[in-house]
Each structure stands twice: as structure tokens, then as C-alpha cells.
Amino acid sequence: MNDLAVLVEKPKAETAIAELTAEGVYDDTRKVREHDGKTVELPVTEEPTGTDVLDVIEQVSPEPRLPDLEAHLRAQGWSEDELDLAPKSWAVIGSVILAQFEDCPRKEEVGEALLDLHGEADTILSRDGISGEHREPETTVVAGSGDTETIHTEHGTKYALDLRKVMFAPGNQQERARMGTIVEPGERVLDMFAGIGYFTLPMARAGAQVTAVERNPTAFQFLLENAVLNGVTENIDAYRVDCREIEMDQPVARVMMGYYDAHEYLDSALAALEPGGIVHMHETTPENRLWERPVGRLREAAETHGCRVEILDKRRVKSHSEGVWHVVVDARIE
């Protein structure tokens, strides 16, 4: 058989493509296309052995896939100046593609081209900013069905979310996965800014007992849903409250602070931590203040509690804006 394809359910397409690629059998020279209302055809070079699929078929009249967005737009007659304004990167989050369009012309054409490139997606969403007390995303549907509810899978962790209502940072993927590798089964953890379960879920899946705190009501509902979706309800105690108001019945071994202004909450974090416990503090820091500012904030807060700080690790997660980095400092507090 030539022009093989596998059938998978639409919500599982993103994960299946990653697994097929890892197997070395995914054929990115042909388009992903819809098979029926519930399934898609993912082109493969040979029958996979390690990816769960519904069926293997031979595609009828397979369609070649242009290699990238630029090729699509050139084929539609875009000028060099217009191409310079097109998005240079985007993220596939479940069945939604999230991109920043800013001054891009003919946004709908770009959206349709992205849908053509990523047949597993059905909605293109423009990320326009963040607003409000609960840091809610400002978005615009650019192309596709407009359905922004989806399930996104990373390293086996499933995140149900609505990208019109809650934030999701694709650039934090490695940090989310990392937290699932460093906790111990049974370890008590406080996640002060749990959101939909960004860090809570990988830690709970690794066996940690996580107290997850989130005050945004929409994010909190997805947190509860995701605990069920991942089968970790027994590992998560979830509270919808300001994290400064939570009272722990006993100290925790680790505090997760996945919020850019986490330093403002260090007093509460250190009060919840057992002697020798670890804090993971996120922050946005100008390049010229790495690593003096985040480390200084940790040391200053620890000093007020009569504690000393041992810096275990310092990491740049991603660029936040020009000259500013999203960073994490891991520290043991004695």
C-alpha cells in the first residue's frame, strides 16, 4: 500500500502526531485532512507500531503539503513587505492554534493557511493581550470554527481549557514537565497559583500530594475538571481562595510559585514551608538584573523569617519581552 494514513479521533490528533513523529513514520509532505466529523487522517510512511490508532488506510488522492507558512502565503501572492508582518511562530494547543498577529495584514488568509498546515486544528485564535484582576486573555477568532474549548496534551498530562477564558503559556512546557520529574511520591506540595493545573497536574501524576490554590473561578473549574481527566483527584486538594489566606494543617516540603510577581507572596510561601523545604519562584527580570534581583528578593524575605537561602538552580524559561526574561529560582530554605 502507498500513501498510508492512520485514523485518530480529532482530540487525540496532536498527541498522535507527536508520537508518530517520534516513531519516525509521520509523513509531513502530505496534508492532514478530516476523515469524518470525529476523525482525521494523519499521513504516515509505514504502519506505526507504538502509536494507538483507530485504523490504517490508503489515502485516496492525497494532497501535498506546502512546507511552511511563507510558502502558503507566497502562493497567494503576498509581497515581501507583507510576509515580514506575518506571524513567525505559533502554538498548536489541542485543536486551537494560538498566534500573535499584531500588524499582520489579511489575517484571515494567514489563519486559513495555518489551518491548511495543521489539519489537526480547527480554530485560529489571535492572542491580543491580558487584562483584569484574574489575568484573563484578550483574544480574537481569526479563522476556523471558533471553538476554543479543547484538550491539550503534554508529556502525558491532559489540560482541558478554553483559550478565550484562561491563559496557557506554550513556552513553559519544559518547566511544567520538569516539575513532574523532581517531586517524590507522597511529597507534600503547595501550588500557590495553580491555574488550570499547569504545574499541579504533572506533580500530582508523579505521586505528590498537592494543595492547589487558585482564585480565578473559571480556571478553578478547569482545575477540578483536569484532576478528574488525569485521574489524580486523590492527590489534589483544591481551594478557590487567595493563596495568602490558605492555612496549611502542616508544613510542606515544596512551594510552587508560578506567577511573575511571586516575590510579593514570599512571606506566605516561607510560612508554609518546612525547614529545609524548597521554593520555586518565578519572575520576570531585566537582563541587566539577572540574577541579583530575584535572588536578592528571596534572601531578603528569608532573612525576615530568620532563615538562610541555598540557591539550588537558576533557569531562564523564555523571553518575556525585549530585554526581559521569565526566570525561575529554586532555593532550599533552612
Side-chain angles (χ1 to χ4, degrees), residues 213-225:
V213 185
E214 175 53 49
R215 68 178 184 177
N216 180 327
T218 303
F220 185 77
Q221 288 302 312
F222 279 114
L223 171 64
L224 299 180
E225 180 180 338

Side-chain angles (χ1 to χ4, degrees), residues 164-181:
R164 291 177 305 176
K165 298 178 180 179
V166 296
M167 290 176 55
F168 195 86
N172 295 355
Q173 178 176 347
Q174 292 306 315
E175 196 65 25
R176 287 190 286 268
R178 179 179 181 273
M179 293 309 300
T181 67

Side-chain angles (χ1 to χ4, degrees), residues 69-111:
L69 178 61
E70 183 176 319
H72 274 261
L73 298 180
R74 285 187 186 281
Q76 296 180 48
W78 278 49
S79 69
E80 294 298 328
D81 288 342
E82 289 176 317
L83 288 171
D84 285 341
L85 298 174
K88 300 299 184 289
S89 63
W90 52 90
V92 182
I93 302 173
S95 58
V96 179
I97 293 177
L98 191 62
Q100 287 183 286
F101 285 81
E102 299 178 341
D103 298 326
C104 176
R106 296 195 265 170
K107 296 178 182 179
E108 187 174 343
E109 286 186 17
V110 177

Side-chain angles (χ1 to χ4, degrees), residues 3 25 82 154 173 233 242 285 302 305 307-309 314 333:
D3 299 323
V25 299
E82 289 176 317
E154 285 181 357
Q173 178 176 347
T233 54
D242 188 302
T285 308
H305 286 257
C307 301
R308 65 181 180 86
V309 175
K314 300 175 291 188
I333 310 298

Side-chain angles (χ1 to χ4, degrees), residues 195-197 201 218-230 233 236-239:
I196 65 171
L201 294 170
T218 303
F220 185 77
Q221 288 302 312
F222 279 114
L223 171 64
L224 299 180
E225 180 180 338
N226 286 327
V228 175
L229 184 63
N230 287 274
T233 54
I236 297 175
D237 292 319
Y239 297 89

